[in-house]
Amino acid sequence: MSGRLYALSTGPGAADLITVRAARVLGALDILYAPAGRKGGDSLALSIVRDYLGERTEVRCRHFPMSADGAEKEAVWNAVADELAAEVASGKQVGFITLGDAMLFSTWVFLLQRIGRQEWLEIVPGVTSFAAIAARSQTPLAMEQQSLAVVSCTAPEADIARALAQHDSLVLMKVYGRFPRIKALLREAGLLDRALMMSEATLPGEQCWRNLDEVSDERPLPYFSTILVNKRLESEQ
Amino acid sequence: MSGRLYALSTGPGAADLITVRAARVLGALDILYAPAGRKGGDSLALSIVRDYLGERTEVRCRHFPMSADGAEKEAVWNAVADELAAEVASGKQVGFITLGDAMLFSTWVFLLQRIGRQEWLEIVPGVTSFAAIAARSQTPLAMEQQSLAVVSCTAPEADIARALAQHDSLVLMKVYGRFPRIKALLREAGLLDRALMMSEATLPGEQCWRNLDEVSDERPLPYFSTILVNKRLESEQ
């Protein structure tokens, strides 16, 4: 059997929100690479897939630094990309797991940029965190002619404000550490009562706030917190 | 056992891109409702789930008209929503399937608006078509501070053009019947070489065009055709 690399999306958190395909692939891997060390999020990815792994699958954790040092990150991405390609070349079935969907705000994209499009690569898509939040909160994302913007709260505030003005529905990712400013932007846009926030969707610690005005700016939020804005939300929620 | 309603996302097309949870729920349903009659798309949803259904699951297809007659659509949505609620009230385990993710451009959202948030309702999220297209084409959606806009090609052209100007990455849904105008908008925005189109992603008839300039305006496209724009795409692709 020739070597293959699978980029496997684990979905938002609950183990049974992984796809049937990802579950099957996990059971046949020689080696599973798991990112590690980002405030507990990546050990989460590993915990999601653990029950699906084959008995002979070797798990290798790789640390991706969060530092602002571009050269340090580049070196790690290069090294891991080389390692994945080398294992495939030696005939192994290799997996790399990533929370949510592999192609959206994921470490995997940096590896893909180095590995390039390859015949021996299969990317298995997954359920995004925002689809899970919409489902759990029973709040639609978009319909008919509406548009949805998925924005990182690390983006410039002017860009976030513009997106809030222009789209019917928005997902604000990476709220952690930025809640007070995002809440102020929502208030300025008149959208505070059209927003909800969810943390750790589909996990045992899931929390949902339907009134962001009542969430203290001082309160430390869980790392996986996302805001959903839908301008058609009923204001009483 | 008390009655429950499950809105089940089937994912983009391949049967094994359904979630493990949806597969399990399907096996335990008393009744599965399937939308029918929209240019073959909904029989697709049913074909995705058929192998997961329990032996005693009764399948009921319901036709949702595509007509512009608002009153006709309203009447159907009201009737199906009432029917679902009535079966739950009688203690049944009821499912309603929807392609892609249930909360994004789906008939289910119209039913949810009528049913309301309920304790007896569980929405199972799924893989969106655009996550599948990104995975199959090995093209990232967004990373770091980038933003992603998901836009329907039925939206006003000025809105589509604005989104093309402002976001790093875009998904243009519902291209069918609108390709010549969308191609012109992409050309005007200087993004024709940053776009790809995929039809029937993850299905046997999957097609990918990486050079939209070569796609004739006269060519009839498959109904499930979506354009992905990523401004960081290499121009040679």
Side-chain angles (χ1 to χ4, degrees):
Chain A
M1 195 153 66
S2 41
R4 287 186 70 78
L5 174 61
Y6 299 89
L8 299 166
S9 307
T10 67
D16 63 351
L17 290 177
I18 202 166
T19 61
V20 170
R21 182 180 300 183
R24 175 178 49 76
V25 169
L26 284 161
L29 291 178
D30 297 307
I31 310 169
L32 177 74
Y33 283 85
R38 297 174 72 179
K39 308 204 182 200
D42 299 313
S43 50
L44 173 58
L46 189 54
S47 73
I48 291 170
V49 303
R50 211 174 269 284
D51 284 350
Y52 300 109
L53 288 176
E55 284 185 14
R56 62 185 184 81
T57 307
E58 178 192 345
V59 176
R60 296 182 185 169
C61 292
R62 290 295 176 266
H63 177 73
F64 293 88
M66 296 284 278
S67 79
D69 180 348
E72 186 189 351
K73 289 194 212 176
E74 295 267 344
V76 173
W77 291 326
N78 289 337
V80 176
D82 288 348
E83 197 177 346
L84 294 171
E87 293 294 356
V88 170
S90 76
K92 294 289 201 299
Q93 306 300 301
V94 183
F96 183 90
I97 47 171
T98 166
L99 272 177
D101 179 70
M103 297 302 246
L104 194 61
F105 299 122
S106 143
T107 300
W108 161 252
V109 173
F110 295 100
L111 298 174
L112 175 62
Q113 287 177 327
R114 286 156 176 79
I115 290 167
R117 288 205 303 270
Q118 302 293 346
E119 281 294 323
W120 43 262
L121 167 63
E122 178 175 346
I123 302 168
V124 180
V127 175
T128 62
S129 60
F130 61 82
I133 291 167
R136 291 290 303 159
S137 66
Q138 304 190 357
T139 303
L141 290 168
M143 56 200 301
E144 300 194 290
Q145 302 194 7
Q146 295 177 5
S147 66
L148 166 72
V150 184
V151 175
S152 166
C153 292
T154 60
E157 283 191 13
D159 292 359
I160 300 173
R162 192 173 58 183
L164 286 172
Q166 294 179 351
H167 293 276
D168 306 287
S169 179
L170 296 102
V171 174
L172 307 178
M173 315 269 292
K174 308 185 197 174
V175 178
Y176 181 80
R178 300 168 191 100
F179 179 69
R181 283 305 301 147
I182 298 299
K183 185 168 140 184
L185 286 175
L186 287 168
R187 180 176 287 116
E188 286 158 28
L191 293 171
L192 210 48
D193 64 349
R194 296 290 185 278
L196 63 83
M197 182 163 63
M198 195 173 272
S199 295
E200 300 180 10
T202 79
L203 288 167
E206 177 184 295
Q207 288 179 274
C208 184
W209 295 269
R210 291 184 184 269
N211 186 345
L212 296 192
D213 226 2
E214 288 177 354
V215 182
S216 159
D217 285 358
E218 279 73 47
R219 181 191 176 115
L221 291 179
Y223 184 62
F224 291 108
S225 298
T226 300
I227 291 174
L228 202 64
V229 181
N230 186 323
K231 293 180 181 175
R232 307 257 184 114
L233 268 187
E234 300 297 322
S235 56
E236 19 78 71
Q237 303 203 7
Chain B
M1 194 154 65
S2 41
R4 285 186 72 79
L5 174 61
Y6 299 89
L8 299 166
S9 306
T10 67
D16 63 352
L17 290 177
I18 201 166
T19 61
V20 170
R21 181 179 301 182
R24 176 179 49 75
V25 169
L26 284 162
L29 291 178
D30 297 307
I31 310 169
L32 177 73
Y33 282 85
R38 298 174 71 179
K39 307 205 183 202
D42 299 310
S43 51
L44 173 58
L46 189 54
S47 74
I48 291 170
V49 302
R50 210 175 271 285
D51 284 350
Y52 301 109
L53 288 176
E55 284 186 16
R56 61 185 185 82
T57 306
E58 178 193 346
V59 176
R60 297 183 185 168
C61 292
R62 290 295 176 267
H63 177 72
F64 293 89
M66 296 284 278
S67 77
D69 179 348
E72 185 188 353
K73 289 194 211 177
E74 294 267 343
V76 172
W77 292 326
N78 288 339
V80 176
D82 287 348
E83 197 176 346
L84 294 171
E87 292 294 356
V88 170
S90 76
K92 293 289 200 299
Q93 305 300 301
V94 183
F96 183 90
I97 47 171
T98 164
L99 272 178
D101 178 70
M103 297 302 248
L104 194 62
F105 299 122
S106 141
T107 300
W108 161 252
V109 174
F110 295 100
L111 297 173
L112 174 62
Q113 287 177 328
R114 286 155 176 80
I115 289 166
R117 288 206 303 271
Q118 301 292 347
E119 281 295 321
W120 43 262
L121 167 63
E122 178 176 347
I123 302 168
V124 180
V127 175
T128 62
S129 60
F130 61 83
I133 291 167
R136 291 290 304 159
S137 66
Q138 304 190 357
T139 303
L141 289 168
M143 57 200 300
E144 299 193 292
Q145 303 194 8
Q146 294 177 5
S147 65
L148 166 72
V150 184
V151 175
S152 167
C153 292
T154 59
E157 283 191 13
D159 292 357
I160 299 172
R162 193 173 58 182
L164 286 172
Q166 295 179 349
H167 292 276
D168 306 288
S169 180
L170 296 101
V171 173
L172 307 178
M173 316 267 294
K174 307 185 197 174
V175 178
Y176 181 80
R178 299 167 192 101
F179 178 70
R181 284 304 301 146
I182 298 299
K183 185 168 142 184
L185 286 175
L186 286 167
R187 180 176 287 115
E188 286 159 26
L191 292 172
L192 210 48
D193 64 350
R194 294 293 183 275
L196 63 81
M197 181 163 64
M198 195 173 271
S199 296
E200 301 180 9
T202 80
L203 288 167
E206 177 184 295
Q207 288 179 276
C208 183
W209 295 268
R210 292 183 184 269
N211 186 345
L212 297 192
D213 227 2
E214 287 177 358
V215 183
S216 159
D217 285 356
E218 278 74 45
R219 181 192 174 112
L221 291 178
Y223 183 62
F224 290 108
S225 298
T226 299
I227 291 175
L228 202 63
V229 181
N230 186 324
K231 293 181 182 175
R232 308 256 184 113
L233 268 187
E234 300 296 323
S235 56
E236 20 77 75
Q237 301 204 9

